[in-house]
Amino acid sequence: MVDEPPETLSREQLDEQLAKQACEVVNTHSEYCTVFRTQLGPHSIISGAEVDCIDRAKPHEFPNRSYRELKTSRCLDSEKARNSFERFKLLKFWAQSFIAGIPVVTVGFRDDEGRLKEVQDIRTQDMPRMVRGKPRMWEANVCMNFANQVLQFIKDNVTDGGLDAQYRIEYSPEEAQVQIYSLGKRPSFLTAEYIKSLSK
């Protein structure tokens, strides 16, 4: 992680910072998070996401268009490996990046010893087309409809308790159903400023 925006540094300063970091132990607790608002059907969603990196200087408007996700996967050296990647990993990559508006996922393909063999940029909007028409694959519209139904189910069933009520929401794949459990009243994670703004 570079301490200052890269565009404010000279090439020499940037190279110096990166060279210094190349010898340091990676800090896996360091992260950059973004909060965004999006719409799914009639549902307005405010969410947060950890972002791996940015392509260029962060613009003031629509900064997520410059964000990039970094992923790893085992090399696709067989039809079985490719099918598994497209059916499971690509779905996760798409869902995470689509909802946050991240346009590109960079995937590093590694061998069984963990050595990087290939790097591929995959545009988020292209992922559903990569699996369209293939047997036993996912469909973006089915995923979005499911998410829409889950949000409506939550709205219909979380109706009381005020701002200090908390719930646990679980999905059981075996039963193919969503369950909501009330945890009662607990201290809110919402800030006092936010709660006050709701009463205006």
Side-chain angles (χ1 to χ4, degrees):
M1 184 178 286
V2 178
D3 297 332
E4 301 170 54
E7 68 273 8
T8 66
L9 301 173
S10 70
R11 184 72 216 176
E12 293 78 26
Q13 291 171 315
L14 183 58
D15 287 345
E16 185 181 319
Q17 282 202 25
L18 293 175
K20 182 179 134 195
Q21 290 181 9
C23 301
E24 295 176 357
V25 175
V26 174
N27 179 357
T28 58
H29 299 292
S30 180
E31 63 182 31
Y32 177 81
C33 294
T34 183
V35 176
F36 58 91
R37 183 177 182 169
T38 190
Q39 191 82 19
L40 177 57
H43 309 292
S44 180
I45 303 166
I46 297 176
S47 187
E50 182 263 333
V51 177
D52 291 327
C53 63
I54 191 165
D55 271 344
R56 54 194 165 273
K58 185 169 98 172
H60 293 290
E61 290 191 17
F62 307 112
N64 56 335
R65 293 181 184 169
S66 298
Y67 295 154
R68 182 178 289 252
E69 248 334 276
L70 303 177
K71 300 293 186 185
T72 61
S73 181
R74 190 175 170 278
C75 287
L76 307 180
D77 53 6
S78 69
E79 192 63 30
K80 182 179 178 184
R82 179 167 294 284
N83 284 339
S84 179
F85 172 79
E86 290 178 346
R87 185 171 180 203
F88 301 109
K89 279 205 165 186
L90 200 61
L91 169 60
K92 290 177 184 177
F93 296 172
W94 172 79
Q96 179 184 7
S97 299
F98 179 79
I99 199 75
I102 297 173
V104 178
V105 178
T106 298
V107 183
F109 292 95
R110 55 169 176 75
D111 64 17
D112 290 336
E113 284 76 44
R115 290 186 295 250
L116 183 65
K117 295 296 185 179
E118 180 187 352
V119 176
Q120 184 179 354
D121 288 337
I122 306 173
R123 290 172 18 138
T124 303
Q125 68 182 23
D126 293 342
M127 292 178 189
R129 278 180 249 152
M130 292 169 65
V131 300
R132 187 174 295 143
K134 294 183 179 181
R136 300 178 62 220
M137 290 293 171
W138 53 277
E139 294 180 40
N141 63 329
V142 173
C143 296
M144 299 308 289
N145 288 337
F146 176 74
N148 185 46
Q149 290 173 4
V150 168
L151 291 172
Q152 190 59 54
F153 177 75
I154 293 168
K155 277 186 176 178
D156 292 343
N157 289 281
V158 177
T159 57
D160 58 19
L163 292 174
D164 54 354
Q166 292 187 23
Y167 294 83
R168 184 174 68 233
I169 302 166
E170 293 180 356
Y171 174 69
S172 169
E174 298 83 19
E175 300 171 19
Q177 72 181 84
V178 175
Q179 296 179 327
I180 299 176
Y181 302 97
S182 174
L183 303 177
K185 294 188 181 295
R186 296 187 175 190
S188 179
F189 63 89
L190 301 172
T191 65
E193 293 87 0
Y194 179 76
I195 293 172
K196 186 176 180 182
S197 73
L198 294 176
S199 62
K200 290 181 181 178

